[in-house]
Every structure is written in C-alpha cells, then in structure tokens.
Amino acid sequence: MPTKRHTPTVRLRRLAAELRRLRASADLTREDVTERTGINAATLYRIETARVRPQQRTLASLLDIYEVAQPQRDEIIALSQGADEQVWLRPYHAELRELYTAYISFEAEAQAVRNYESLFIPGLLQTEDYARAVIRGGLPSANARQVEQRVQARMERKTVLAKDAPLQLWAIIDESALRRMSGGPTVMRDQMNHLLSAMAEPYLTLQVIPFGAGSHPGMPGSFALISFPDADDPEIVYIDSMAGDMFLESGADVNRYGLIFDTLRAVALSPDDSASLIAELLKDIQREEEAQ
C-alpha cells in the first residue's frame, strides 16, 4: 500500500514564504527560533520549505516570537487552515512521481501556463491514444495498470481547460514533436485534428517552431512557466527531464526562462501559420493512410 504523500499547494508555499519573511524581519535565525520556542530545527526547516503545514500550537508560537499583530495574525492563521486543500488530486496519484503530482496541484491552481515542448505534444493537448503511446514508449518497464494510471491522470488534468475561467495555455512545440509517429499514423491523425480543433478555443495560443528555424534556445529540453491569479504567489518553472523533475522558484531563474520563452515565441511560426503547418502534416498522414 503506497504511503500517504504530502503534495505542496500554492497556499502552503505562500505560508512558508510568509513565515520565512517574518523570521527574517525579526532578525532571527532558525537556531534562535528553536532555542526560544523549543520547535525542532528539522520541523522548522520543513515548515519554511513547504514540506509540512505547521500545527496550530506551533504556528501560534511562531507568530508570538515574530510579534505578529492583528489583522495579519488572523490572515496567516486562515492561510494555514486552508494550506492542505488540494484543488485536484486523486487517490492513485501516490504511485505517480512526487514532483509530478506537485506539478498537477500547481497547474490546477494556476491562471496561466507557458509550455515549451521539444519532443511531445503538450500534456494538456494530448488525445488519450497519443498519451498512451508516448507513456508506453517512455516507460518500457511499466505494466498495463501503471500505464493506464498515468493516462487517466493526464486526461483528468484537462479539467483545468473546462473551468468557468479556464487556464490560459500558451504552447510552443518543436516541429519534431508533430512529425514523430507516436502510436502510428491513425493516432497521429486524430492528434493533429484535436490540435486544430483546440486552436479555435480562446484559452489556447499554439505556435510551432519549424525545422527551417534552425538552432534555438529550446533545444536543450522542455519546460513550463506557471503563473497564479494572486500576485503574492510568484511564478515557478517546472522542468521534466531524464535526470528527474525540478522546480525553480528564484526570480533569476523565472526571468531566465521567461526570456527563453519569449525568444522561442519570436522564432516560432505565428498561430495561423502554425495551424497551416499542422494541416499540411495532417494531409501527409492521410495520404500515407490511403496508400496503405
């Protein structure tokens, strides 16, 4: 039975950042706080890095030592009480990668995502058959149940596009992702049709970087920039690579990847020209199917 995993939320990240700020404003080190409150140093570290939500008594001790007055005190307590609420999470996610479930949680709370993909169609735009094909190909040792769990998780992520205020998705795809016959011609035909249909939706801006563009700064790999409705929640960068998943939160990293995305946006075809390229590739696939 998988152990229960803590998945960070935007609110928990905000609480952790606020407690770090308050400690710094009080000119206290973690060691100072431990000495004066008796809070375990490891526990304090986990609280300040959004690993755990502080217990009510622990939070009260921190707010006392930081001399936090009303109404800020009530605001922080309210933030803590809602810090573990998962906007989007399913029981079987315990078997998914920990940072991937964190990404799912952040994506569900996000206002916008800027996603660059070099080898795959973006997850939010994948058909079920395409998702199954790329998951099987990428995880050759996974059994059928594990594959289907990941397919289901990917399909359920799409609910963020069906909300009253849908996630705003700006996706840039390298042409190689469109030309790779993941799952075969029939799967790719349906995937291309799905992309063309999705491009008519107001929540989506889709661009393709053609082979003719030559080398570009996205060639090292894919990434996503996640932004949130509340200005107090800073953007984060998510990177999924062979070496493992990674979140980058520093302002310098977010600015660097924002600049890379802007460069890719300039290198890529316009949305209209991208749709024309996808339509041409779709015709090629249909001709190939007819010839068989």
Side-chain angles (χ1 to χ4, degrees):
M1 184 76 176
T3 58
K4 185 177 180 181
R5 172 193 302 162
H6 172 78
T7 302
T9 66
V10 172
R11 289 176 290 277
L12 188 60
R13 286 177 63 236
R14 191 190 307 169
L15 174 65
E18 183 63 13
L19 292 175
R20 291 196 307 269
R21 187 191 66 77
L22 288 169
R23 179 172 59 78
S25 296
D27 198 23
L28 296 171
T29 65
R30 288 199 184 106
E31 291 74 17
D32 293 332
V33 174
T34 296
E35 182 178 345
R36 293 172 58 176
T37 65
I39 298 171
N40 182 275
T43 298
L44 183 59
Y45 171 79
R46 289 169 63 80
I47 290 171
E48 290 191 350
T49 55
R51 306 290 180 86
V52 297
R53 180 174 66 87
Q55 294 182 355
Q56 185 175 354
R57 182 185 304 174
T58 300
L59 181 59
S61 295
L62 293 174
L63 297 180
D64 286 343
I65 195 175
Y66 300 153
E67 299 181 355
V68 180
Q70 301 291 5
Q72 185 182 17
R73 189 181 184 97
D74 282 345
E75 291 172 357
I76 294 174
I77 291 172
L79 183 61
S80 175
Q81 289 171 343
D84 280 341
E85 293 178 5
Q86 295 294 334
V87 175
W88 192 95
L89 196 62
R90 300 289 184 269
Y92 59 80
H93 290 175
E95 297 194 18
L96 302 177
R97 300 191 313 270
E98 183 173 2
L99 289 179
Y100 181 55
T101 60
Y103 177 80
I104 289 173
S105 177
F106 291 146
E107 182 182 71
E109 298 185 59
Q111 180 180 54
V113 169
R114 289 173 287 167
N115 185 196
Y116 164 70
E117 292 292 343
S118 57
L119 298 174
F120 303 103
I121 304 301
L124 289 175
L125 300 176
Q126 292 179 6
T127 64
E128 184 172 335
D129 287 338
Y130 177 89
R132 185 172 292 109
V134 297
I135 290 170
R136 279 177 181 160
L139 297 171
S141 62
N143 59 39
R145 179 183 62 82
Q146 292 169 328
V147 169
E148 289 308 309
Q149 284 179 334
R150 285 163 172 77
V151 171
Q152 186 177 0
R154 195 160 297 181
M155 294 302 101
E156 288 176 351
R157 282 173 53 198
K158 293 185 176 186
T159 59
V160 300
L161 302 176
K163 299 186 298 185
D164 290 339
L167 177 81
Q168 297 299 300
L169 176 62
W170 194 316
I172 299 178
I173 312 172
D174 192 273
E175 185 176 344
S176 59
L178 298 171
R179 289 191 176 274
R180 188 176 303 278
M181 289 291 105
S182 297
T186 300
V187 171
M188 288 305 297
R189 179 198 65 206
D190 292 342
Q191 179 63 71
M192 297 289 193
N193 276 318
H194 178 68
L195 286 179
L196 290 172
S197 176
M199 290 180 76
E201 299 292 340
Y203 60 72
L204 176 64
T205 300
L206 177 64
Q207 294 180 263
V208 177
I209 299 179
F211 285 151
S215 300
H216 58 77
M219 294 177 70
S222 305
F223 63 90
L225 281 150
I226 312 168
S227 58
F228 303 97
D230 196 315
D232 290 333
D233 299 323
E235 283 188 299
I236 55 177
V237 178
Y238 175 71
I239 300 172
D240 180 7
S241 71
M242 291 283 287
D245 302 6
M246 181 187 310
F247 283 106
L248 303 176
E249 301 185 62
S250 74
D253 285 328
V254 171
N255 289 339
R256 178 163 59 91
Y257 275 89
L259 179 60
I260 291 173
F261 192 88
D262 287 344
T263 303
L264 296 176
R265 185 175 61 179
V267 168
L269 298 173
S270 68
D272 286 346
D273 288 342
S274 296
S276 296
L277 175 58
I278 294 171
E280 286 300 317
L281 294 176
L282 175 60
K283 289 179 182 178
D284 291 342
I285 293 172
Q286 291 171 331
R287 283 193 288 266
E288 181 180 338
E289 286 184 303
E290 292 169 358
Q292 290 179 349

